[in-house]
Amino acid sequence: MSSSENKIVVNSNSDTAVGGLGIIFLIGFMGCGKTTLGRKLANRLSYPFMDLDHVLEAQAGMTIAQYFAQYGEDAFRKLESTVLKQTDYHEHMVVSTGGGLPCFFDNIEWMNAQGKTVYIKLSPKTLATRLENEKEERPLLREKHGEALVAFIADKLKEREPFYDKATIVTDGLSLTAEKIEKMLTGMIR
């Protein structure tokens, strides 16, 4: 998707308080840059930043990979949804989410009702390149390499994009900056 194709849809349930952008949830496949861009955007806006994966790990007392190995994906997705919905959020902040979080239960609808969601979209090949050296921390990718990794990501994106595409903003992540995200968000509230 080119930058001229960015979809900006204003969700009527995500009113913004005067003087702020509210809660901004960054969503997308693992490796798309949610945490890196989230920190930069939060810094740029002078907002607090939260990585929900870190909150989950603190509550679980173990890493996501350990939780997956011990309890399985179904238990992880339930815990992830609970953490999403029971965490206290600042009125205006940037939140990085896990890659699968929007795709389970009513999580994407819940995030859209609480604030704005930004889907950072990248191709399977770009994601595979970024994730090739991070597979140990990523339980779903551990045994996949090369073209098998690209194919796995492509299949997962086909499953997940119907959920990701419900985001307030869908944007190409290839040359995305915190400044560009800010401009998209502030353009919504003129």
Side-chain angles (χ1 to χ4, degrees), residues 57-179:
E57 288 177 338
Q59 287 188 18
M62 62 181 74
T63 67
I64 289 171
Q66 290 167 332
Y67 196 92
F68 244 81
Q70 190 166 342
Y71 300 106
E73 184 174 4
D74 288 345
F76 171 76
R77 295 303 177 191
K78 288 176 188 165
L79 174 62
E80 188 179 44
S81 185
T82 300
V83 168
L84 169 70
K85 295 171 184 171
Q86 293 182 358
T87 296
D88 288 327
Y89 298 98
H90 189 274
E91 183 180 7
H92 305 288
M93 72 181 308
V94 178
V95 180
S96 170
T97 67
L101 180 117
C103 310
F104 293 88
F105 309 106
D106 63 343
N107 294 342
I108 187 66
E109 290 81 7
W110 188 91
M111 288 185 288
N112 281 333
Q114 304 307 310
K116 293 173 185 58
T117 50
V118 178
Y119 169 30
I120 303 169
K121 186 173 188 160
L122 286 173
S123 72
K125 192 157 189 81
T126 300
L127 289 165
T129 299
R130 290 184 176 193
L131 292 166
E132 187 64 45
N133 297 320
E134 294 182 26
K135 290 187 299 215
E136 284 309 305
E137 304 110 50
R138 316 269 188 183
L140 295 175
L141 303 181
R142 226 175 241 144
E143 304 301 319
K144 293 155 184 75
H145 306 281
E147 289 304 313
L149 179 59
V150 174
F152 174 81
I153 292 169
D155 287 345
K156 279 290 181 196
L157 280 173
K158 281 181 193 164
E159 292 172 18
R160 292 180 175 185
E161 284 203 319
F163 298 96
Y164 290 161
D165 284 339
K166 292 180 182 180
T168 312
I169 295 172
V170 176
T171 186
D172 182 5
L174 202 52
S175 61
L176 191 61
T177 64
E179 181 180 12

